[in-house]
Amino acid sequence: MLPAGCALTVRNCVYGALEKLIDEHPALSAIPLGEDSLDPYFVRLPEVELDRCVSFRERKAVAAGDGERDTELDGLLNEQHNMSFAAPLPYWRLCILTEPQEGRRFTAAYVWHHAIGDGTSGKAFHRTLLAALGSICSGPLPAASAAVKSVVVPPRTPLLPSLEEACPMPLSFFFILWTLFRAKVWKPARDPGLWTGSKTFTPLHNTVRHLVVSERETAAFRDACRENRTTVTAGLQVLLAQALFKHLPAQYTKLASEGAISARRWLTDGRITDDSIGVWVQVYHEHYSRHDNDAFSWDEARRAKQTIDTALSRRGSNSPVGMLKYVKDYVKEIFLPKLGQERELSFEVSNIGVFTADPSEEADPAEADTRPRIERMVFTQSVNVFGCAISTSVITGADGCLVLGFSWQRGVVEDSLMDSFLASVKQAFAL
């Protein structure tokens, strides 16, 4: 929301802020080329035409309140998740939903390709956007004759180092040998009780929906996790597993999940912070059995926390991501052999935490309406044709509401199952 004293239009403010963001974040003016080759690379766009990557649409109704799902936003996200990126346009878009009869309030949906940013990069974009809007709204008004700049020439600042360049990711000889042995020589038999949705197939069509947990329920769940010596992420994993088991046929007794971990805490390059845009992420895996998850279990939540703690203690060593340097052809060696095969994972949880503004940009409570502010936050991801059946993306906004964004490939999971699953997740927080 823009402050009451801002005399500029939403469009002028957004375009002015994006000029600052493109100047600060080199990833916003870089696109990958040669993605189908064995040697892809990034190139710098000579200019960014904002009119081609920013869109404005007026809402049909006022945005949802505390604990309510924003159906118009879901509609927009479903459109955007099924639109590809292609040169020479940037590999990001910004979609603005303006409020009817409220010119200062709008929803900004930042959509980006995973090649230029991870989940934390989305928070970085919004935090930088908020700071830039604050600078514009509090600055002097431009001259009446000054045109809004819609074409931005990016700086020649080099891209920040990749994960492989900034994180050692050492691999032990035993880990390499064991991984190659399981991949090339002996593949363990699949557990017949494992549920992972349908077999893999193309084309990909995303279905996206988000669920809002009220501020009161969010605080209660967070406090309960702390009291029971676990974390929100670990508690969420168990809650999701228990809710999913409730609606799966009895023959399915096992679930496998994947979690994302930001690797920024281990990086050796001091230029990379939580306010940087790039891809620096690792993964960990967890398994659940129906017997242990007939009801929500704090013992299971503590076990899940231990798995996360163990992954964090490795600081990037002996990780699946570290093994990718031995892959020569990702398509032939990793992707094509999986097409038409059973999936390995049931669901994913990617929790990017709480969105907070830069403390230096936060206004005094007495001046709350003098600076822009961000309230509700929603985070969603596209699913992967070869990945998990259900992707769950999590963030807590400045309004105190925990929001879970669910994505699934059309045909992989029945919509009726997702309806029942989401209803159980919602009910679990209300207890």
Side-chain angles (χ1 to χ4, degrees):
M1 176 182 283
L2 298 177
C6 184
L8 300 174
T9 65
V10 170
R11 180 181 182 276
N12 287 4
C13 286
V14 168
Y15 273 37
L18 287 174
E19 182 181 357
K20 295 177 181 291
L21 264 70
I22 292 169
D23 183 69
E24 181 172 341
H25 297 292
L28 296 180
S29 57
I31 62 172
L33 291 183
E35 291 184 89
D36 295 331
S37 72
L38 298 181
D39 190 24
Y41 57 97
F42 281 99
V43 298
R44 175 85 61 209
L45 291 171
E47 60 185 25
V48 177
E49 297 181 53
L50 298 182
D51 288 340
R52 301 185 69 184
C53 53
V54 183
S55 62
F56 294 85
R57 181 190 307 178
E58 185 176 285
R59 284 182 175 273
K60 297 177 181 178
V62 176
D66 183 38
E68 297 179 0
R69 172 190 168 207
D70 187 339
T71 55
E72 282 194 69
L73 178 59
D74 270 353
L76 174 66
L77 294 176
N78 274 278
E79 292 175 10
Q80 292 295 319
H81 273 289
N82 290 296
M83 292 174 59
S84 61
F85 294 93
L89 295 180
Y91 269 44
W92 60 270
R93 298 185 288 268
L94 186 65
C95 308
I96 305 295
L97 291 178
T98 56
E99 293 272 0
Q101 303 174 343
E102 174 52 85
R104 297 181 299 129
R105 190 181 185 89
F106 62 92
T107 300
Y110 170 57
V111 185
W112 72 101
H113 194 291
H114 210 330
I116 67 167
D118 52 20
T120 302
S121 296
K123 286 205 302 183
F125 178 94
H126 283 281
R127 194 155 39 232
T128 312
L129 177 67
L130 183 63
L133 289 173
S135 174
I136 291 169
C137 290
S138 61
L141 287 175
S145 60
V148 177
K149 185 181 292 186
S150 62
V151 177
V152 178
V153 177
R156 302 190 67 82
T157 310
L159 285 173
L160 291 170
S162 66
L163 175 64
E164 291 81 2
E165 295 171 319
C167 184
M169 292 192 293
L171 300 168
S172 68
F173 177 74
F174 178 78
F175 179 80
I176 295 173
L177 193 63
W178 177 242
T179 302
L180 293 176
F181 177 72
R182 286 170 61 93
K184 304 292 186 181
V185 181
W186 174 76
K187 294 184 179 181
R190 177 185 171 88
D191 189 325
L194 175 64
W195 179 86
T196 56
S198 79
K199 294 182 179 181
T200 61
F201 65 89
T202 58
L204 168 65
H205 187 284
N206 282 282
T207 305
V208 182
R209 193 184 309 172
H210 73 278
L211 183 155
V212 180
V213 182
S214 71
E215 182 179 9
R216 179 187 60 80
E217 292 168 346
T218 297
F221 183 71
R222 180 194 61 228
D223 293 344
C225 288
R226 289 174 177 172
E227 291 171 4
N228 286 278
R229 304 186 308 282
T230 188
T231 63
V232 169
T233 300
L236 280 174
Q237 291 177 187
V238 175
L239 186 152
L240 294 171
Q242 189 268 331
L244 192 52
F245 273 128
K246 186 180 296 185
H247 301 288
L248 292 176
Q251 69 194 71
Y252 295 111
T253 59
K254 298 291 177 59
L255 294 171
S257 74
E258 181 174 84
I261 297 176
S262 174
R264 297 173 192 234
R265 70 199 82 194
W266 309 311
L267 303 186
T268 56
D269 193 304
R271 293 172 295 173
I272 302 172
T273 69
D274 282 346
D275 288 326
S276 303
I277 293 180
V279 185
W280 304 285
V281 68
Q282 297 272 4
V283 297
Y284 65 92
H285 297 98
E286 185 60 276
H287 294 81
Y288 310 89
S289 67
R290 183 183 288 273
H291 174 73
D292 295 326
N293 289 274
D294 286 333
F296 183 85
S297 166
W298 288 113
D299 286 338
E300 279 289 280
R302 283 187 286 271
R303 183 181 69 82
K305 177 182 180 297
Q306 183 58 52
T307 298
I308 298 172
D309 289 344
T310 299
L312 290 171
S313 69
R314 296 195 186 104
R315 300 178 63 85
S317 65
N318 288 343
S319 70
V321 177
M323 287 293 295
L324 292 178
K325 61 186 176 183
Y326 294 110
V327 180
K328 294 181 179 179
D329 190 325
Y330 290 94
V331 174
K332 291 183 178 180
E333 296 181 42
I334 296 181
F335 298 136
L336 288 182
K338 293 183 178 180
L339 194 58
Q341 303 301 309
E342 297 285 358
R343 299 172 191 278
E344 299 174 359
L345 298 168
S346 312
F347 66 92
E348 171 194 3
V349 176
S350 180
N351 182 7
I352 57 175
V354 181
F355 176 84
T356 55
D358 184 338
S360 65
E361 299 292 337
E362 292 180 352
D364 184 275
E367 304 174 350
D369 201 35
T370 65
R371 301 192 67 82
R373 66 179 186 271
I374 293 179
E375 298 169 348
R376 174 77 44 86
M377 294 291 289
V378 177
F379 171 41
T380 58
Q381 297 183 78
S382 170
V383 288
N384 185 331
V385 166
F386 306 101
C388 59
I390 303 170
S391 174
T392 312
S393 309
V394 187
I395 188 170
T396 303
D399 64 347
C401 293
L402 179 77
V403 178
L404 295 88
F406 295 93
S407 308
W408 62 98
Q409 182 179 354
R410 180 185 293 173
V412 170
V413 187
E414 299 86 355
D415 287 350
S416 59
L417 172 59
M418 289 301 301
D419 289 340
S420 301
F421 168 53
L422 267 62
S424 291
V425 173
K426 182 74 171 177
Q427 184 181 26
F429 284 105
L431 297 179

